[in-house]
Amino acid sequence: QLQLVESGGGLVQPGGSLRLSCAASGFTLDGYAIGWFRQAPGKEREGVSCISRSGGNTNYADSVEGRFTISRDNAKTTVYLQMNSLKPEDTAVYYCAATVPSVQALCAVHWRYDSWGQGTQVTVSS
């Protein structure tokens, strides 16, 4: 079974940046669409962004549009979430997840994602 590992979380001041990474243990990710999700204490999980298998299609939640950028490397081994202009409301545990896409060229955070990482904490605070 595909196992995902997130890294790159931490404590950052408002306005700062972090880059999260999502890697697969023992597998490449090129057969999967990848999504990033987050869950803050007392709140429901939120779909943040996703990227298609080829990387040609990406989508973002309105709350992060223009500040976050999702990408994947050429070898399809890692997916990144570059987070800029961070706000306190971005504080959450961030998860990456993988799915075999029903539409190869697209992605959507509302799809069913079958493999999840353990999460990485992002805290935005002064």
Side-chain angles (χ1 to χ4, degrees):
Q1 184 176 353
L2 182 66
Q3 293 184 326
L4 302 176
V5 179
E6 303 96 337
S7 61
L11 173 63
V12 64
Q13 292 186 341
S17 298
L18 284 173
R19 188 177 78 160
L20 305 183
S21 299
C22 173
S25 176
F27 294 84
T28 61
L29 295 177
D30 57 348
Y32 301 89
I34 303 297
W36 281 98
F37 301 81
R38 67 186 181 186
Q39 188 164 22
K43 294 188 177 182
E44 293 187 354
R45 188 175 65 200
E46 175 189 17
V48 174
S49 181
C50 66
I51 188 166
S52 62
R53 285 186 59 187
S54 68
N57 179 246
T58 59
N59 287 291
Y60 298 92
D62 289 344
S63 57
V64 306
E65 181 80 50
R67 299 188 297 122
F68 290 10
T69 303
I70 192 170
S71 62
R72 59 196 309 162
D73 69 5
N74 291 338
K76 308 292 175 58
T77 60
T78 305
V79 173
Y80 303 99
L81 186 68
Q82 177 68 43
M83 306 187 297
N84 297 329
S85 302
L86 283 162
K87 304 175 180 180
E89 51 263 44
D90 295 318
T91 295
V93 178
Y94 283 71
Y95 302 88
C96 67
T99 186
V100 177
S102 56
V103 180
Q104 299 297 312
L106 299 178
C107 74
V109 295
H110 68 264
W111 288 351
R112 173 178 172 174
Y113 285 75
D114 300 307
S115 300
W116 292 78
Q118 82 290 347
T120 186
Q121 176 71 47
V122 171
T123 302
V124 185
S125 176
S126 56

